[in-house]
Amino acid sequence: MTTEAIPTEAELAILAVLWKRGPSTVRDVHEALGREDGKSAGYTTTLKQLQVMTAKELVIRDESSRSHVYAANVAEARTKRQLVKDLLDRVFGGSSAALALQALSLKPASKDELEELRKLLDGDKPHRGDKR
């Protein structure tokens, strides 16, 4: 994923649906977005967003059936890493510690999350969401 392909908030919502559900029609994506936020844009807006995402190569479109099926073309873990790296560089001057401290000050970590952080800091294992 190139820098210009960093997903917008709306694109991330669609990608989250596709990562969770797998390949889906526009209607499937549209309905899932409506269930998640209780309100969603119109069907044609979802379709247009998927067309833009296809052009940006964030999704791929299978046109072999009457209803086109869209699938994520970017990996969830890689996309999250890119977004965090962008935030880290732009907002926190590259300081992982500053980012972590800010995040933890907003919402304390659970006991399990703290244990995972300890293991990560000790170099015992990669983060569970990190599929290298």
Side-chain angles (χ1 to χ4, degrees):
M1 177 170 58
T2 61
T3 304
E4 52 271 89
I6 291 177
T8 65
E9 187 173 339
E11 291 168 344
L12 277 173
I14 291 172
L15 284 170
V17 169
L18 294 174
W19 289 327
K20 183 177 181 180
R21 293 178 50 98
S24 304
T25 64
V26 177
R27 182 157 316 285
D28 293 337
V29 171
H30 177 71
E31 289 173 359
L33 290 172
R35 281 192 300 273
E36 289 178 13
D37 66 11
K39 57 179 173 43
S40 71
Y43 175 88
T44 56
T45 302
T46 303
L47 171 61
K48 182 63 178 170
Q49 190 69 55
L50 281 161
Q51 291 169 338
V52 169
M53 292 173 71
T54 301
K56 291 172 75 173
E57 298 182 353
L58 294 170
V59 299
I60 54 175
R61 178 178 53 221
D62 177 357
E63 301 175 6
S64 63
S65 64
R66 185 169 182 261
S67 295
H68 295 175
V69 175
Y70 291 83
N73 194 37
V74 292
E76 181 175 7
R78 182 176 177 188
T79 302
K80 288 178 179 180
R81 275 195 307 273
Q82 180 64 34
L83 288 166
V84 170
K85 182 182 181 320
D86 182 60
L87 181 67
L88 184 69
D89 292 343
R90 286 186 308 112
V91 179
F92 294 97
S95 172
S96 297
L99 173 64
L101 290 170
Q102 183 67 41
L104 291 170
S105 72
L106 293 173
K107 182 179 178 197
S110 70
K111 186 176 179 179
D112 290 342
E113 290 169 331
L114 288 173
E115 182 59 32
E116 187 175 343
L117 285 169
R118 282 188 196 92
K119 287 180 181 179
L120 180 64
L121 292 171
D122 292 342
D124 290 348
K125 67 171 186 168
H127 183 269
R128 70 177 168 209
D130 191 8
K131 297 175 180 132
R132 295 175 195 220

